[in-house]
Amino acid sequence: MSDAERPTDDGAPGDDEFEPIQVFPEAEEMDLRPGADNCYKCSTCDTNCPVAEVDDEFPGPKFQGPEQWRLKRQDDQDIDDSVMKCSNCMRCDSACPSDVPLSQMHNTARGEYVEEQMDTFSREYVRNRILANYRRLAPLGAAFPRTTNFVMGLSVTQWLGEKVLGITGEREFPAFATETFREWWTARGGAQVRNEDKRIAYFHGCYANYNTPEVAKALVRVYEHFGYEIMVPEQHCSGTPMFANGMLEDARRSAETNVRELAAALEEGADIVASCSSCSMSLRQEYPELFDFDGTEDVAENTWDAVEYLRVHEDLEGELEGTSVGDEFEDFAYHAPCHARNQGLDGQTTEVLSAIEGVDAHDVGDSCSGISGTYGWKAENYETSMKIGAEMFDHMEDADATAGLTECPTCSMQMEHGTGYEITHTLEVLEAALVGAATEAGAQ
């Protein structure tokens, strides 16, 4: 569906159409100094930075972005190593009143730092490369999920991970599913609905494929309930953990595959839908900021969050009126991920779920969860990530709920880690309300 054909509903998130931040046309070869000159040092980005709030040694996004690029006008000026302390939450982007592309500056600065200044034989580089390329290791774990889960759950494994690689031993590794989403998709025979007029290409990402296929299955069942034909194209990691770790060449290789496959799906009349807020953010904003492959802009302009898409293209709230989920779910403490807020999607989940009888999602505020993907998995960042998340933990425990809700997989890890609550994805609640009876009966 072309951008001009996008329907909108009054009050729906689609009213303020998401526009990826423009790379400055006068800049050449990612020279972001024109953007740096737009910064007038108001420090709004610094006051909205969750890392700077709890870490006095972190200079903040203003230094990491505009000031860093101003310093680059001196040829002998290296990128400051503090750029690796940025969590890539991207809250500074939405905070800046001058629309300075701060996260774009941070991503390019990290990439330059890693390529030119980081020792590729160092423990930090090896650890970061492993964390950034989860998709390359996940198939090995998924091939023998029970064995992998047992080994990764051993305290000695966690101890070795911290001592040898610098991966915190305070967190439990996420479990691999016994059947990946793509295995399930193949076993069921792929799409069960054929509809040339309503077709989506599902970008499921790594985590929903290898660790939480129930989220991806929920999306399939909910969208088929609305009559959509679902395509599941070949795909690599969205690149989010690679951007956060300065592995831009790795991100480029993944992005090339994703843009090629998703652009082909657009040619077949599909829109792109993601169930992970970081994946949709990457496709919508980071791709057009950092890459210029053919089709990149088209992919960005036609990528949607899964719930957002149904609100704009269907009467989602109307369909949910009068539905219930019985005793399957209790009230939720809902956390809107930073990457969802950056897309203007905060508030939509609580509004949508209010239509379901017996379900109440309590928004726990706009604080960051603190884990920010791979950031909170690094031993040197663990305490900082927990300090950042403390406000969210307190609000969750104060809410009239004993379970958590979010759309971000790593936020989900942090929420569970900090409170002990079971965490659910919004799509799972929609599935229970709209197609719950059929799912319980064993429908594929």
Side-chain angles (χ1 to χ4, degrees), residues 76-90:
D76 60 345
Q77 182 66 44
D78 289 335
I79 298 294
D80 192 83
D81 61 3
S82 62
V83 74
M84 299 305 292
K85 286 190 173 185
C86 167
S87 69
N88 201 39
C89 71
M90 302 171 73

Side-chain angles (χ1 to χ4, degrees), residues 310-349:
L310 290 177
R311 291 194 80 192
V312 172
H313 293 80
E314 305 292 337
D315 182 13
L316 179 58
E317 281 93 334
E319 190 77 5
L320 289 169
E321 286 293 340
T323 64
S324 65
V325 293
D327 297 327
E328 185 174 356
F329 294 116
E330 300 178 14
D331 287 352
F332 297 102
Y334 172 69
H335 169 70
C338 294
H339 290 174
R341 292 181 180 279
N342 291 348
Q343 296 173 77
L345 303 176
D346 51 311
Q348 76 166 5
T349 293

Side-chain angles (χ1 to χ4, degrees), residues 15 22 138 159 177 204 270 299 329 361 381 386 402:
D15 285 351
Q22 292 288 324
W159 181 83
H204 50 71
V299 167
F329 294 116
N381 294 337
M386 294 302 287
T402 55

